[in-house]
Amino acid sequence: MPLAIDIIEPRPALGAGLAYGSCGTEHRLNVPADRMIVSRDAPSDFADWLRTSGEEAKDPRGRTEDGSHYPRRAVFGQYMAQLVRGAQAGNVSGSAIRHVRKSAETIEPVEGGWRVGFGDEHETYRNIVLAVTHSRPAIPWAKVEAPNIIEDPWEKGALDAIAPDASIVIAGSGLTMCDVVVSLRERGHRGKINVISRRGLTPRPQNGFAVFGKIGWQDTPPQTASELLLDLRRQIRAVEAEGGVWQSVLNAIREQLPQFWTKIPLRERARIVKHLRPYWDVHRFRAAPQVSALLEQGKTEGWLEISSGRIHGLTASNNGVRMEWTPRGGKRGVVVADFAVNCTGPDANIARSSHAIIRRALADGVIRRDALGMGIDVDARGRAYGGDGELQSGLWVAGPMARAYTGDATGLPDVSDQVRTIAESLAAALADRHRNKACAI
């Protein structure tokens, strides 16, 4: 059945998005090429493309001691753009795929479908897939307008004003912090960098991608957060006693998470998200070996210091910034630096989303926040719930905004599996209605 598919994206190229289109050439994938699986039917496609295109040979720094290759993220964005161009040029259904270079601001139900607003313009579609990326970072202090406070390090040119010898204090110690440190060092920065986060946790290093397949939680998962943690630790100890690594257990949990996550009582899932998620994130979202080595170098040489504690506030003047904080187990104090950079990660509160379409849809009752506060509420097929608790006909949500249902929809294989489920659901709906216009946003 030929379809008319519009992809609404203001960027000039399709496929890269924020993750692979807004990064510098110095930023690497945090997994090797053979783990970047867009389709389970062709698991080695990107790794093969990387070799045949010559991009692998151009990037010897991506090679690690175990023979793996961690490509630049921008290169993966090029690969994704090529896939989209190929689908536009020809596909098995004969569908027409159009790139609409606009920003979708509103969405509202109308007779026969949905109306998407682009400022003063609008267009009507039978079906919509909301596939927006993460929101901008949350701001962990009262908003302060100052040129030496960088609220969003992903804005173009955000780090340009930082001098090579400037001192920096960073809020947040996850992968965004890693990217900022990599960018600064690549630009020749040699000043002191202080990193402060609530727990001082940093992404753990990669160490192979074997999967320990005996988790067995698909049918009878632990029913409390405490049971889950105890069982996880027990299984890690068993694997390590046999010469394995903890990463293999986490890999197995990640693969099986969609099968058992919703079988855990909601109250306990909320406890897991609140108390265990910070630890899950640093073990799940691990750093490329090149990045881990740089952080260790920085700590050894003294130009990088990572601390745990609570940030109370931030003030700025022409002379720099002052961050008030209390170290874990210590007394309240102040860190003085030339610049402050916010690396706390995406804001999960969709009411504050940097995407106008999400804020408006929530306010208008088109969507509702999920019970865990991680994004948009959806069912097993990716269909969105409205503010009245009813499923919205013809409205799906893909990607990180729908991760509360599966527990994790951030990594590429996870998103690919989720999108396949949505595509099957959408195809079934189209077959029932015999309509011929769909849209992805």
Side-chain angles (χ1 to χ4, degrees):
M1 178 190 301
L3 305 174
I5 303 173
D6 283 357
I7 303 178
I8 303 172
E9 166 60 69
R11 296 179 181 89
L14 292 173
L18 176 66
Y20 311 113
S22 299
C23 51
T25 56
E26 68 274 16
H27 295 133
R28 297 192 177 277
L29 298 170
N30 59 355
V31 297
D34 59 2
R35 302 296 298 181
M36 295 298 287
I37 301 172
V38 176
S39 171
R40 300 282 187 184
D41 297 331
S44 65
D45 193 64
F46 173 59
D48 294 341
W49 176 88
L50 195 69
R51 286 189 292 271
T52 58
S53 66
E55 291 293 342
E56 183 177 275
K58 295 177 188 175
D59 182 25
R61 293 172 62 185
R63 184 71 62 189
T64 57
E65 291 181 359
D66 66 356
S68 299
H69 193 276
Y70 289 74
R72 294 186 293 265
R73 292 210 295 263
V75 170
F76 184 75
Q78 296 171 21
Y79 164 76
M80 289 299 300
Q82 178 176 295
L83 290 185
V84 176
R85 289 195 299 270
Q88 288 176 305
N91 52 79
V92 294
S93 66
S95 297
I97 303 174
R98 183 176 65 145
H99 180 190
V100 179
R101 283 198 63 186
K102 299 176 181 178
S103 293
E105 298 174 359
T106 61
I107 175 176
E108 59 179 318
V110 294
E111 184 177 356
W114 297 87
R115 182 162 57 202
V116 178
F118 318 94
D120 295 332
E121 304 175 26
H122 68 268
E123 186 145 1
T124 301
Y125 299 92
R126 182 62 173 173
N127 300 282
I128 297 286
V129 179
L130 286 171
V132 298
T133 188
H134 291 294
S135 184
R136 293 179 62 179
I139 301 174
W141 48 71
K143 189 173 180 63
V144 180
E145 296 287 351
N148 50 2
I149 296 178
I150 300 169
E151 294 182 347
D152 183 0
W154 292 118
E155 284 189 354
K156 187 176 181 179
L159 306 179
D160 289 353
I162 299 178
D165 59 348
S167 58
I168 301 170
V169 58
I170 293 177
S173 58
L175 286 174
T176 302
M177 177 276 294
C178 294
D179 285 342
V180 168
V181 171
V182 168
S183 292
L184 289 170
R185 298 297 289 185
E186 192 73 15
R187 293 163 177 240
H189 182 266
R190 295 299 180 265
K192 181 65 180 287
I193 302 174
N194 278 294
V195 176
I196 300 173
S197 70
R198 186 70 176 270
R199 298 171 181 83
L201 299 172
T202 56
R204 299 307 190 247
Q206 294 287 15
N207 188 14
F209 292 89
V211 173
F212 173 68
K214 300 178 182 178
I215 298 299
W217 289 350
Q218 298 98 316
D219 299 320
T220 56
Q223 292 299 289
T224 68
S226 298
E227 289 177 6
L228 184 146
L229 183 59
L230 289 171
D231 195 24
L232 173 60
R233 287 173 170 169
R234 178 187 61 78
Q235 298 201 50
I236 288 176
R237 286 195 298 269
V239 168
E240 291 180 337
E242 296 177 1
V245 294
W246 61 261
Q247 286 92 337
S248 67
V249 180
L250 268 292
N251 294 340
I253 290 177
R254 174 184 168 184
E255 288 195 359
Q256 299 172 22
L257 193 60
Q259 285 75 51
F260 71 77
W261 178 246
T262 56
K263 297 176 183 177
I264 300 174
L266 177 60
R267 178 181 176 183
E268 293 302 313
R269 276 181 277 155
R271 290 186 65 208
I272 291 169
V273 170
K274 181 178 181 180
H275 299 293
L276 300 182
R277 183 180 172 189
Y279 299 94
W280 166 260
D281 283 352
V282 297
H283 289 84
R284 154 70 177 86
F285 301 107
R286 303 191 283 269
Q290 296 91 334
V291 176
S292 295
L294 179 64
L295 297 186
E296 288 304 313
Q297 177 188 345
K299 289 186 285 186
T300 299
E301 296 178 353
W303 53 263
L304 177 66
E305 184 175 338
I306 300 174
S307 306
S308 61
R310 180 187 293 272
I311 297 172
H312 303 293
L314 185 69
T315 57
S317 68
N318 293 333
N319 297 324
V321 297
R322 291 169 55 88
M323 180 176 287
E324 293 189 32
W325 73 301
T326 300
R328 184 177 291 270
K331 296 181 179 180
R332 186 163 178 155
V334 174
V335 173
V336 179
D338 296 317
F339 284 84
V341 185
N342 178 22
C343 294
T344 54
D347 191 343
N349 186 345
I350 61 175
R352 297 192 299 257
S353 175
S354 54
H355 304 292
I357 191 171
I358 299 298
R359 296 195 309 272
R360 289 287 299 274
L362 179 66
D364 294 342
V366 173
I367 58 174
R368 71 178 185 183
R369 194 176 182 184
D370 67 71
L372 299 177
M374 299 173 71
I376 301 171
D377 198 12
V378 300
D379 72 351
R381 296 164 65 186
R383 298 176 297 178
Y385 285 100
D388 59 2
E390 298 294 324
L391 283 171
Q392 295 281 35
S393 176
L395 181 61
W396 286 261
V397 182
M401 288 291 102
R403 64 188 180 276
Y405 188 88
T406 60
D408 187 0
T410 306
L412 183 63
D414 312 300
V415 174
S416 296
D417 290 343
Q418 181 203 45
V419 168
R420 181 182 288 257
T421 297
I422 291 173
E424 292 170 351
S425 176
L426 180 53
L430 288 169
D432 288 341
R433 296 170 185 151
H434 297 286
R435 303 288 184 178
N436 70 346
K437 194 161 192 178
C439 165
I441 298 178

